[in-house]
């Protein structure tokens, strides 16, 4: 298992260090795990003048999986766009062809009171958001700034989805639904956007190959509302890049903390990039208070999807559960009277439980 480890910026190095502890524990048991570190994001810019340095790209291409922390920091906000940390993330996703982004929103019984919604709305919640990750308005050309004939300046982007892009991610969605409750909701804005009308047509066509899956379509504004009104109606949500970006942040709050949400970004052969859904949180970087569980749970996803080691994936998830059951919490998920521990101690607690 050759893993490229890219801690990135902000809290990235602290949380990735905890996930690395889990990988090291597995290696001590005899798993053949090889980890090699490289830079991405702001630190890539600092060290190599590029948020996605050539050396990092080479390492990522030569690895089976990538473990990533987070990118971004205030000091980079004024750089020209190609040098911004976020470009590192977008380029590695596109460069590795990671079109299927899995963002599970799972409510642990221990954290049901940490959610911003009433416990009865979220207790037992288990949604899989599948976000297309390499197309849509994120990558569409042309884009930029232009001058209109009347002299006014205009910013513009292009939204488009090709048939093959929709088909391949839809197949992933239906296959995931087949392994779950066989309910798939495709989210779009087909009442306004041509791109979405086409999306709906293709998803409906792919559905014919999965007659056991119950397919529904929902407009994205309604989906945003339904997620906070009655989130348990969803099993798998399939959606495009920008809608998935927004809905997955919303869904994270159902689970109590964005610090709990892992993700997997897969190519056609299950090579994957694994990262927490949250950002680099520069305001709390270096303070040893960030929650490393989303990153540790991303390692579980890596074992499941890239290395097909379901047993190990479940052991890591169980270890996280046990740690929560012991009542230890990082600050973001702590309730009154509970023992608050730091990032490193949480990593140690999970390794001990493992
Ligand atoms: C995410 C993030 C990224 C995105 C940013 C940092 C470019 O918000 O992974 O959801 O928009 O995809
Ligand atoms: Mg986002």
């Amino acid at each position: 298992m050759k893993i490229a480890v890219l801690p990135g910026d902000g809290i990235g190095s602290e949380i990735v260090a905890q996930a690395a502890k889990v990988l090291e524990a597995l290696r001590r048991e005899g798993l053949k795990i090889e980890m090699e570190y490289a830079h991405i994001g702001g630190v890539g810019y600092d060290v190599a003048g590029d948020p996605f340095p050539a050396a990092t790209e080479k390492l990522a291409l030569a690895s089976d999986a990538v473990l990533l922390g987070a990118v971004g920091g205030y000091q980079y906000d004024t750089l020209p766009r190609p040098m911004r940390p976020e470009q590192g993330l977008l380029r590695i996703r596109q460069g590795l062809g990671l079109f299927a982004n899995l963002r599970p929103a799972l409510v642990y019984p221990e954290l049901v009171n940490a959610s911003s919604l009433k416990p009865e709305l979220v207790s037992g919640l288990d949604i899989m958001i599948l976000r297309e990750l390499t197309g849509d308005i994120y990558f569409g050309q042309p884009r930029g700034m232009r001058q209109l004939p009347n002299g006014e300046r205009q910013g513009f982007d292009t939204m488009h989805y090709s048939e093959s892009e929709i088909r391949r991610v839809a197949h992933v969605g239906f296959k995931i639904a087949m392994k779950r409750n066989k309910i798939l909701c495709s989210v779009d804005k087909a009442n306004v956007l041509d791109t979405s009308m086409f999306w709906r047509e293709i998803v409906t066509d792919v559905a014919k190959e999965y007659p056991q899956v119950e397919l529904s379509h929902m407009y994205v504004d309604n989906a945003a509302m339904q997620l906070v009104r009655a989130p348990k109606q969803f099993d798998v949500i399939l959606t495009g890049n920008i809608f998935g970006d927004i809905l997955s942040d919303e869904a994270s709050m159902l689970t109590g903390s964005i610090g709990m949400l892992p993700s997997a970004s897969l190519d056609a052969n299950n090579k994957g990039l694994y990262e927490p859904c949250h950002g680099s949180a520069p305001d709390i970087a270096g303070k040893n208070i960030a929650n490393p569980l989303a990153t540790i749970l991303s390692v579980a996803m890596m074992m499941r999807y890239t290395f097909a080691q379901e047993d190990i994936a479940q052991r890591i998830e169980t270890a996280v559960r046990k740690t929560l059951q012991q009542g230890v919490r990082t600050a973001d998920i702590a309730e009154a009277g509970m023992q608050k521990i730091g990032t490193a101690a949480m990593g140690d607690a999970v390794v001990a439980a493992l």
Side-chain angles (χ1 to χ4, degrees):
M1 303 178 178
K2 187 168 161 56
I3 304 169
V5 184
L6 316 179
D9 307 318
I11 57 171
S13 53
E14 295 165 71
I15 54 176
V16 163
Q18 309 319 311
K21 283 179 188 168
V22 171
L23 287 167
E24 275 150 21
L26 294 170
R27 181 161 57 193
R28 282 195 297 274
E29 287 180 6
L31 275 193
K32 291 203 169 59
I33 292 173
E34 202 183 302
M35 287 185 264
E36 196 173 329
Y37 287 74
H39 298 303
I40 194 159
V43 66
Y45 173 77
D46 290 339
V47 171
D50 185 349
F52 188 36
T56 304
E57 182 173 14
K58 199 171 155 213
L59 174 67
L61 287 169
S63 303
D64 304 309
V66 178
L67 176 66
L68 194 143
V71 301
Y74 308 128
Q75 67 269 44
Y76 310 111
D77 284 351
T78 51
L79 288 174
R81 179 173 304 283
M83 291 300 139
R84 297 262 189 97
E86 293 76 13
Q87 290 301 312
L89 198 53
L90 297 176
R91 281 166 60 199
I92 194 170
R93 287 171 180 171
Q94 204 182 34
L96 299 187
L98 307 170
F99 65 90
N101 180 219
L102 279 59
R103 297 187 165 190
L106 197 83
V107 172
Y108 289 85
E110 294 79 11
L111 296 184
V112 76
N113 290 312
S115 171
S116 46
L117 293 194
K118 295 190 194 95
E120 63 267 27
L121 283 185
V122 295
S123 138
L125 182 83
D126 179 354
I127 302 178
M128 178 65 86
I129 297 185
L130 174 59
R131 168 189 177 193
E132 199 289 331
L133 201 61
T134 53
D136 204 353
I137 197 164
Y138 266 61
F139 296 96
Q141 295 290 345
R143 60 188 290 166
M145 297 272 271
R146 61 190 167 202
Q147 196 142 28
L148 297 173
N150 70 2
E152 199 190 354
R153 288 192 310 150
Q154 184 185 57
F156 64 102
D157 295 273
T158 304
M159 175 180 273
H160 55 61
Y161 264 122
S162 64
E163 183 169 343
S164 59
E165 283 176 318
I166 303 169
R167 270 188 197 282
R168 65 181 180 177
V169 76
H171 277 290
V172 174
F174 284 104
K175 286 190 176 120
I176 291 171
M178 284 298 288
K179 289 194 187 156
R180 295 174 47 104
N181 294 328
K182 304 190 173 60
I183 304 171
L184 186 140
C185 179
S186 172
V187 171
D188 62 40
K189 189 68 185 171
N191 51 345
V192 175
L193 302 173
D194 284 1
T195 309
S196 280
M197 259 169 55
F198 187 55
W199 172 280
R200 195 174 273 220
E201 178 190 321
I202 302 304
V203 170
T204 304
D205 191 51
V206 173
K208 291 178 193 150
E209 295 176 46
Y210 304 87
Q212 288 148 285
V213 177
E214 182 190 319
L215 169 68
S216 64
H217 303 276
M218 198 181 276
Y219 299 139
V220 63
D221 49 348
N222 186 22
M225 181 185 72
Q226 297 298 337
L227 268 176
V228 288
R229 191 189 76 86
K232 281 190 253 179
Q233 71 186 279
F234 296 110
D235 179 24
V236 179
I237 293 178
L238 165 67
T239 192
N241 205 344
I242 185 116
F243 299 152
D245 176 47
I246 298 164
L247 293 181
S248 60
D249 262 36
E250 187 188 6
S252 77
M253 262 301 117
L254 308 175
T255 72
S257 170
I258 196 163
M260 293 298 302
L261 247 74
S263 80
S265 306
L266 306 176
D267 75 0
N269 306 308
N270 289 334
K271 175 168 177 165
L273 179 146
Y274 298 84
E275 57 176 327
C277 288
H278 61 71
S280 57
D283 53 326
I284 59 164
K287 295 187 177 158
N288 191 39
I289 57 174
N291 184 349
L293 294 180
T295 316
I296 290 173
L297 290 167
S298 298
V299 172
M301 293 188 87
M302 178 190 291
M303 290 298 151
R304 171 170 298 128
Y305 293 107
T306 290
F307 297 121
Q309 301 277 351
E310 180 61 31
D311 290 2
I312 296 172
Q314 284 184 21
R315 271 184 60 207
I316 297 170
E317 288 162 351
T318 304
V320 168
R321 280 288 302 276
K322 274 195 193 155
T323 308
L324 293 172
Q325 277 159 11
Q326 289 158 9
V328 294
R329 300 278 193 280
T330 43
D332 57 316
I333 50 175
E335 288 172 54
M338 281 184 174
Q339 191 198 346
K340 264 191 223 170
I341 60 170
T343 310
M346 185 58 105
D348 294 337
V350 174
V351 170
L354 184 75

